[in-house]
Amino acid sequence: MQELLYTPSAGARSSSQLAEFSQIISEHTGLRFSSYQALQAWSVSNLETFWRLFWGYADLQGEPGNTVLRSEQMPGAQWFPEARLNFTESLLARGRDEDTALICCSESRPEQRYSYRELRQSVTRVSGYLWHQVGTRPGDRVAGYIGNTPEAVIMMLAAARIGAVWSAVSLDFGLDGALDRLGQVEPKVVLVGNGYRYAGKSFSRAETVAQLRAAMPDVQAWVAADTLGEGTERKAELPSCFEWETLISEPWPEVAAERFGFDHPLYILFSSGTTGQPKCIVHGSGGTLIQHAKEMLLHADVRCDSTLFYFTTTSWMMWNWLVSGLFTGAAVVLYEGSPTYPDEGMLWRMAQKLGVTHFGTSAKYLSACRKVNLTFAPNALPELSVILSTGSPLSPDDFDWVYAQVKGDVLLQSISGGTDIVSCFVGGNPWSPVKRGRIQGANLGMDVQAWDEQGQRVWNQRGEMVCTQPTPSMPLYFLNDPDGSRYRSAYFERYPGVWSQGDFIEFDQDGQAVIHGRSDTTLNPGGVRIGTAEIYRVVESFPELLDSLVVGRPVEDDISIVLFVKLPAGQLLDDALKQSLKRKIREKNTPRHVPGDIIQVPDIPYTHSGKKVELAVSHILRGESAGNLSSLANPSCLDFYRELKEYKHE
């Protein structure tokens, strides 16, 4: 297979915003950068200069102050301690009044559009309601039990404008999952939707909202939006909630947009919660803003004439990332519904219709498109310039499919970060070539390395993914963690003073990377550490398999690898396919990677944000509780695995 799939032209390199910023650095330092790798290395060797120059380039609204980094200690680094800014002010500053800010699509309602003028007016109005009617003040929490809708964006921006903290749970969470999260946040105001449509079916959330209200009596205001889109008969299902239509039409007194400190809290995001109650991760407004601005401008090259789409829900940090696209003045596309209804081509048709320039999705979705042999007419997506993929490692076969079927000159950026930093550690850029199965490199200002078990940096071999210097968007703290012990345990326990992300990563000589899966679900057959992604990369190349899951099962004093596979309806796993899988895994990896068992299952468990849940199945096979299931999108599928826990090894 061809390793080099795409090389940016000299014109594309020189016209990028990355080139503009590189010129600013050159004027300041006298240095010239011939490659992205050289620029990235400079950025982590000169952290304070890099971030100071970027603040000016991005024209963040506010005052940066004289100090960039007061302390480099991790945890506890202090970024821009004298800065003053307002997240919403900066996010809406570039958009021209008449330009489109939001294009809102869903299965439930007709397409809606907001200009930047209309969006600013709505945000100002809702912030007036929050301040004057409810008494919301800086530091108070405003929450959403809501889908990926304009109401969610407006409420979040209105909350941030007055210094309140936003947190959200999507409507596909049931009562326990929503309460596990929002109950910890203790919000003053909650925005709710009355339901949603997914894959052509309507789901009312009236009963769940009523149960939430009973369980959260201290909430001072409940605001209800007709997200189901079925008219006035639905409104009656949410009695005593203030209607969004009324809120948005009232002339509330305006509130001035105060500027806050760099570390003023902005978001509360949640860990997956698959092994216990979700951790509440608090992110600051300044760190989130400057990181997202960097990724939008320098990495994804989003501009004021771009149209940015990312398939996400409000429960996934990619929703927060997507909304930050407003910072560029681009049109941001929201979609609420199934990505594969009525078929896998639906999102691509939407992208064609709307002239999407930046198409974001999950590796799982791209794999699904490949496996149904989705094809495109010539020049079907003329505006498309960048495809972004995250959620799990993107397989080499999916790289091939994108360049063979979607578009041969598109910049495919596989990116990886997470809820922990509400941004990316590694990703793409407009200068580097795209290699099959590889991420283009560590992001600017992110000192990401691969370390071996002795804490030494390694190249061309798998290691623990660490960040050896602080970054602005590391969490401020966790809720309900007064001494910071849970925070330190989550990221700094393995290597004191160094951030450990919990992933295996490998860097090649060009600085490009491969994610080898989560190190906290490491398999150790024969005492050799194996990342699950090494097996997934092989398994996903089999077109006859729809999905898979890899876990470890204790066998005497060792671990046996178990591979679960999902096949199309009506097809059975036979010995020939089992042997073919084992042979290919052995050829591509080592004999230790070969599963001891390959078992057909009806479904693979996923979180609501689209991540495979290996730990829950691993616990079941050990005869333990699967843990907190509120984060799972399909918890009933675990019943099959529970019946298997006593199976005999092949």
Side-chain angles (χ1 to χ4, degrees), residues 228-302:
L228 198 49
E230 298 188 4
T232 56
E233 67 274 11
R234 289 289 182 182
K235 297 178 184 178
E237 294 184 355
L238 301 178
S240 303
C241 291
F242 193 54
E243 292 185 5
W244 177 264
E245 293 88 345
T246 303
L247 185 160
I248 206 71
S249 62
E250 288 286 331
W252 306 102
E254 187 171 338
V255 184
E258 180 184 349
R259 289 177 174 173
F260 304 94
F262 192 84
D263 280 351
H264 186 80
L266 170 70
Y267 290 137
I268 300 174
L269 303 182
F270 305 101
S271 66
S272 61
T274 53
T275 58
Q277 194 173 39
K279 294 187 289 289
C280 298
I281 303 172
V282 182
H283 285 289
S285 56
T288 302
L289 176 64
I290 200 168
Q291 275 277 34
H292 286 183
K294 179 199 67 176
E295 293 178 356
M296 293 291 170
L297 300 179
L298 304 184
H299 291 277
D301 205 32
V302 183

Side-chain angles (χ1 to χ4, degrees), residues 8-26:
S9 67
R13 283 173 51 103
S14 63
S15 64
S16 67
Q17 294 174 98
L18 182 62
E20 291 178 357
F21 182 58
S22 173
Q23 180 61 32
I24 290 173
I25 297 173
S26 296

Side-chain angles (χ1 to χ4, degrees), residues 143-192:
Y145 182 49
I146 189 86
N148 186 13
T149 66
E151 294 92 344
V153 174
I154 292 167
M155 184 65 89
M156 182 278 286
L157 291 172
R161 187 173 183 272
I162 60 173
V165 187
W166 170 259
S167 190
V169 175
S170 59
L171 288 172
D172 51 358
F173 275 79
L175 174 64
D176 291 344
L179 194 56
D180 276 351
R181 290 158 176 79
L182 300 186
Q184 294 188 76
V185 169
E186 299 179 341
K188 195 165 193 173
V189 184
V190 181
L191 170 67
V192 299

Side-chain angles (χ1 to χ4, degrees), residues 398-433:
D398 294 327
F399 274 79
D400 293 339
W401 177 80
V402 165
Y403 282 100
Q405 299 296 338
V406 183
K407 198 171 185 181
D409 61 350
V410 73
L411 173 55
L412 175 57
Q413 296 192 3
S414 179
I415 63 179
S416 181
T419 300
D420 311 278
I421 60 165
V422 70
S423 57
C424 300
F425 281 113
V426 292
N429 68 80
W431 282 11
S432 298

Side-chain angles (χ1 to χ4, degrees), residues 288-552:
T288 302
L289 176 64
I290 200 168
Q291 275 277 34
H292 286 183
K294 179 199 67 176
E295 293 178 356
M296 293 291 170
L297 300 179
L298 304 184
H299 291 277
D301 205 32
V302 183
R303 302 168 181 266
C304 63
D305 58 353
S306 299
T307 301
L308 171 66
F309 165 72
Y310 216 108
F311 180 80
T312 182
T313 73
T314 51
S315 294
W316 191 16
M317 54 77 51
M318 292 310 299
W319 183 85
N320 309 78
W321 190 90
L322 172 65
V323 175
S324 287
L326 294 168
F327 174 81
T328 67
V332 170
V333 180
L334 312 179
Y335 180 73
E336 173 73 354
S338 168
T340 57
Y341 178 80
D343 55 61
E344 284 76 6
M346 188 280 300
L347 292 182
W348 299 106
R349 292 192 296 272
M350 182 186 74
Q352 181 183 38
K353 173 188 171 187
L354 300 180
V356 167
T357 58
H358 292 69
F359 183 97
T361 186
S362 65
K364 178 185 176 185
Y365 175 73
L366 293 177
S367 177
C369 291
R370 172 177 60 84
K371 290 187 175 183
V372 297
N373 297 313
L374 188 65
T375 58
F376 297 79
N379 201 33
L381 296 160
E383 307 298 329
L384 184 64
S385 59
V386 177
I387 295 176
L388 299 137
S389 170
T390 193
S392 59
L394 186 64
S395 76
D397 287 339
D398 294 327
F399 274 79
D400 293 339
W401 177 80
V402 165
Y403 282 100
Q405 299 296 338
V406 183
K407 198 171 185 181
D409 61 350
V410 73
L411 173 55
L412 175 57
Q413 296 192 3
S414 179
I415 63 179
S416 181
T419 300
D420 311 278
I421 60 165
V422 70
S423 57
C424 300
F425 281 113
V426 292
N429 68 80
W431 282 11
S432 298
V434 176
K435 295 182 182 180
R436 184 175 187 261
R438 291 188 175 270
I439 298 171
Q440 287 172 285
N443 279 11
L444 297 172
M446 313 296 279
D447 197 358
V448 184
Q449 302 177 15
W451 280 16
D452 63 18
E453 294 186 18
Q454 287 72 46
Q456 299 298 311
R457 188 174 192 177
V458 294
W459 298 86
N460 295 310
Q461 69 181 70
R462 186 192 66 217
E464 196 80 30
M465 179 174 160
V466 300
C467 192
T468 66
Q469 296 188 78
T471 68
S473 65
M474 289 178 175
L476 302 179
Y477 51 86
F478 291 171
L479 287 188
N480 307 314
D481 182 29
D483 63 355
S485 58
R486 296 177 69 202
Y487 184 13
R488 290 191 299 273
S489 174
Y491 310 117
F492 301 101
E493 196 167 69
R494 180 158 194 188
Y495 304 107
V498 173
W499 177 288
S500 179
Q501 178 64 5
D503 285 326
F504 282 135
I505 194 167
E506 175 183 342
F507 287 100
D508 67 15
Q509 66 279 1
D510 297 323
Q512 300 218 359
V514 175
I515 300 286
H516 287 290
R518 295 292 296 171
S519 61
D520 55 10
T521 53
T522 304
L523 308 176
N524 292 278
V528 178
R529 301 176 83 212
I530 290 174
T532 54
E534 295 168 308
I535 300 174
Y536 288 131
R537 286 166 70 88
V538 177
V539 174
E540 288 169 0
S541 69
F542 282 71
E544 54 267 68
L545 300 180
L546 296 179
D547 209 346
S548 61
L549 187 79
V550 180
V551 301

